[in-house]
Amino acid sequence: THEDFFKRFRVISPQVKQTRNFKECAEKLAHTLDMNMPYGAQVGVTKIFLKQEVANVLEDRRNHALTHIIVKLQQWYRMISARGHFVESRTAALTIQPWERMIFRRRDFVKSRKSTKLLQVWWRMVKGKKRLAELREIKRKAEEEKRRKEEEARLARIKKVGEEQVRKEEEAKRRAEEEKNAAENEKVRALLQEKEKKEVEEPIVVSPETQKKKKPKKKKKLSRTGSIMMDRNEVLEVPINVDGKMTVGLGWKTKPMAIAGSNVNVFIDLDASCLMYRYKKHMDDCYKFSPKSKDGAVILRGSQFNSGEGKDNYQIDVNFKKLSKKVNTLLFVVTMFTPGTSFCDVEDSYVRMIDANSKVEYCRYDVATSDSSKETAKVMCKLYRYGYTAWRLKAIGHPCQGRLYKQVISRVGAFLDTEPPKRTFKLTIHKAQLEVRSGRKLKKDINTFCETRYDIDSSKTKIAKKTHEPTWNVTHTVSGCANTIEITLMQKRGFGKSSFLARVVIELEDGPGFKFVEQWLPFAEEETAQCKGKLKLSIVEQ
């Protein structure tokens, strides 16, 4: 129809205006489109007739016109969108730029102010020192002038009345001053005695309201009641908490030491450090200028701490759970940094172990200083592995040489164990029998598994569910360099959670061919053990 033709192809020639008579509109559009009329197209009464080739050309022209319009619309939209992003970015930049300028200017201002304060302090110090020197010089000159005048007056008096008479006058003057001072002291003493007599004769009456207001006296803290006093070379089992944290406290007192020919006392500087070893190989250390180990398990905290009962010069926090598997010995050393000093100038030195949570002292070793002679370092104690998770503390207190911790590293070989040869074992865990320990609660149906640790090698069994007589029959092969094999019985508690029940530590004999088959071994009796019983094992060295 005329209407369909006009509406479809008007996009090719948009200058043709639309009227109510679509036939006229179609004729005008047909003449405008140059369709070779009447041969290519003809206008009928109700329709327009087109040849196929003319219709194809019109469709191509229409598609081209529509594409041009769409491209224009896309360009316009992209322009509007880009303009919006640009305006937004410019607004944000204009907001950030003043803030950034303020920050830089503020930083420069703070830096300048700090520098100015330092200069002012330094300048005031210089002026103060200069003024102090001037005042001291004025005072010295005034005192010299006074002494000179007194000496001149004394010599003139000697010439006039004689030396003996002058000496008698000076003696009489001195005695008069002493008598005057004694009389004043006696007067003050008499007043104090009268005041004390009045207080005794007139009792103090305290009203009930005043009695209520009086605060009750604080109870004195008890001294170390539960602490274990250790002797030299004594060994104790370390009671590790659930979080695996303990604190080692080091303390001492220095004797006053004066510089020869003066009354000035010397400050004696002592430093504490922790040396970490795998047998005799030095792995890591923790000292004053590097107070944290590489794995973050050992942290040295500075001097003068009040924790629990006692005052420590240094405290070293040890987290056994974070400690590297390769480290099996911790040595705690104290060195004297001040030249010309030794442990003869130190008294009441000690080392103690403290619970990191409750701050309660567990054990203490008072180091004797009688055998220190001229030594400048002292090995206080050592912590070493017994098995894998168990640790023991040994009190040493042995003197050594070195004013820095680095000088001590090569001199502590006598306190370290020799690395055993590498060995491989085939270990079979058969079954276990559990019993409830007195004072502990243990569910009837528990899920258990065993974890085997030998040196840095470890392996786990499958989980035995809901029984006090678990059976595993699992075989593991472990290898490493150690003298003990530790088998830990664990309770499975939900997803990713487990708790300690008991453990067996097997000490290996020296030499090849270690073997025992299907033997029952009792669980170790420990404070942290939740149950008792025995474990059936087979171990064969390969």
Side-chain angles (χ1 to χ4, degrees), residues 428-444:
T428 304
I429 302 175
H430 300 287
K431 56 184 178 180
Q433 293 180 0
L434 309 183
E435 298 176 10
V436 180
R437 191 176 176 185
S438 60
R440 303 294 170 90
K441 293 182 179 180
L442 192 66
K443 293 182 179 180
K444 293 182 179 179

Side-chain angles (χ1 to χ4, degrees), residues 277-279 323-330 383-385 391 455 481:
Y277 291 86
R278 174 174 170 80
Y279 298 108
L323 195 63
S324 173
K325 295 179 180 179
K326 295 183 179 180
V327 175
N328 59 7
T329 306
L330 304 178
L383 276 169
Y384 63 96
R385 289 186 191 268
W391 287 80
D455 198 10
C481 303

Side-chain angles (χ1 to χ4, degrees), residues 375-392:
E375 280 75 12
T376 57
K378 193 176 283 289
V379 182
M380 306 293 280
C381 66
K382 80 168 181 176
L383 276 169
Y384 63 96
R385 289 186 191 268
Y386 177 69
Y388 183 83
T389 57
W391 287 80
R392 289 182 175 180

Side-chain angles (χ1 to χ4, degrees), residues 12 24 73 209 228 245 282 290 344 377 406 424 426 439 472:
I12 302 173
E24 293 180 0
L73 287 172
E209 296 178 358
I228 302 171
K245 295 180 181 179
H282 178 241
S290 179
C344 293
K406 291 183 179 180
T424 303
K426 185 178 181 181
W472 298 285

Side-chain angles (χ1 to χ4, degrees), residues 50-108:
L50 302 173
K51 283 189 175 181
Q52 185 63 42
E53 56 270 18
V54 174
N56 292 339
V57 171
L58 288 177
E59 287 293 334
D60 292 341
R61 292 175 66 185
R62 178 177 177 272
N63 291 337
H64 180 74
L66 287 175
T67 303
H68 180 71
I69 292 170
I70 291 170
V71 169
K72 285 288 185 183
L73 287 172
Q74 289 176 345
Q75 289 177 351
W76 177 82
Y77 176 76
R78 291 193 189 100
M79 181 271 292
I80 293 296
S81 179
R83 177 67 180 172
H85 288 304
F86 166 72
V87 171
E88 186 178 353
S89 301
R90 185 178 62 180
T91 305
L94 291 175
T95 305
I96 291 172
Q97 284 173 356
W99 179 82
E100 188 178 7
R101 294 190 193 101
M102 180 271 292
I103 289 294
F104 283 117
R105 291 183 181 179
R106 175 69 181 172
R107 186 184 62 185
D108 295 339

Side-chain angles (χ1 to χ4, degrees), residues 148-421:
R148 186 181 62 79
K149 288 181 179 179
E150 288 177 354
E151 188 65 23
E152 288 178 356
R154 186 172 179 276
L155 292 174
R157 183 69 177 166
I158 288 172
K159 286 181 180 180
K160 186 176 180 180
V161 298
E163 185 175 356
E164 186 67 22
Q165 183 65 25
V166 171
R167 188 181 62 77
K168 288 180 180 180
E169 289 177 357
E170 289 177 353
E171 185 68 21
K173 187 177 180 181
R174 184 181 62 78
R175 286 179 181 176
E177 289 180 356
E178 289 180 356
E179 289 175 358
K180 184 179 178 181
N181 292 334
E184 289 180 356
N185 292 336
E186 191 66 28
K187 187 176 179 181
V188 172
R189 195 178 294 109
L191 290 173
L192 291 174
Q193 288 177 356
E194 288 179 4
K195 188 176 181 180
E196 289 177 359
K197 286 180 181 180
K198 286 182 180 179
E199 289 177 354
V200 172
E201 292 173 358
E202 298 177 3
I204 300 172
V205 180
V206 182
S207 63
E209 296 178 358
T210 311
Q211 288 180 354
K212 289 180 181 178
K213 290 180 181 178
K214 280 188 176 180
K215 294 182 180 179
K217 293 183 179 179
K218 293 183 179 179
K219 294 182 179 179
K220 293 183 179 179
K221 291 184 178 180
L222 297 174
S223 60
R224 299 181 308 276
T225 53
S227 178
I228 302 171
M229 301 302 294
M230 299 180 67
D231 296 327
R232 190 170 186 176
N233 295 326
E234 186 178 351
V235 178
L236 281 181
E237 196 84 20
V238 178
I240 301 175
N241 294 329
V242 176
D243 56 358
K245 295 180 181 179
M246 293 295 287
T247 301
V248 177
L250 302 164
W252 55 79
K253 292 181 182 178
T254 55
K255 299 177 183 178
M257 179 181 175
I259 299 175
S262 67
N263 295 325
V264 180
N265 289 333
V266 177
F267 171 71
I268 301 177
D269 186 13
L270 287 87
D271 295 327
S273 56
C274 177
L275 309 179
M276 285 159 266
Y277 291 86
R278 174 174 170 80
Y279 298 108
K280 292 196 174 184
K281 182 181 178 182
H282 178 241
M283 303 295 293
D284 197 3
D285 44 56
C286 183
Y287 61 101
K288 183 176 181 180
F289 297 105
S290 179
K292 193 173 183 180
S293 60
K294 294 176 183 177
D295 53 13
V298 182
I299 300 174
L300 173 69
R301 293 189 287 130
S303 58
Q304 302 301 331
F305 284 93
N306 283 313
S307 62
E309 300 170 2
K311 190 172 185 180
D312 302 326
N313 294 82
Y314 284 90
Q315 285 188 352
I316 301 175
D317 297 330
V318 182
N319 190 337
F320 294 104
K321 288 192 175 181
K322 290 177 65 177
L323 195 63
S324 173
K325 295 179 180 179
K326 295 183 179 180
V327 175
N328 59 7
T329 306
L330 304 178
L331 281 178
F332 298 91
V333 181
V334 176
T335 56
M336 302 196 69
F337 183 73
T338 306
T341 58
S342 67
F343 268 88
C344 293
D345 304 316
V346 178
E347 58 185 7
D348 298 338
S349 58
Y350 65 88
V351 59
R352 64 187 187 127
M353 179 162 281
I354 312 163
D355 186 351
N357 295 327
S358 62
K359 305 300 180 185
V360 175
E361 183 179 298
Y362 171 67
C363 62
R364 181 187 184 97
Y365 171 51
D366 293 326
V367 183
T369 56
S370 58
D371 57 347
S372 295
S373 63
K374 296 297 180 181
E375 280 75 12
T376 57
K378 193 176 283 289
V379 182
M380 306 293 280
C381 66
K382 80 168 181 176
L383 276 169
Y384 63 96
R385 289 186 191 268
Y386 177 69
Y388 183 83
T389 57
W391 287 80
R392 289 182 175 180
L393 175 69
K394 183 177 181 180
I396 298 177
H398 189 80
C400 190
Q401 289 290 347
R403 297 197 181 275
L404 299 174
Y405 81 98
K406 291 183 179 180
Q407 300 170 355
V408 182
I409 291 175
S410 59
R411 299 176 180 176
V412 294
F415 310 108
L416 302 172
D417 299 328
T418 305
E419 183 175 3

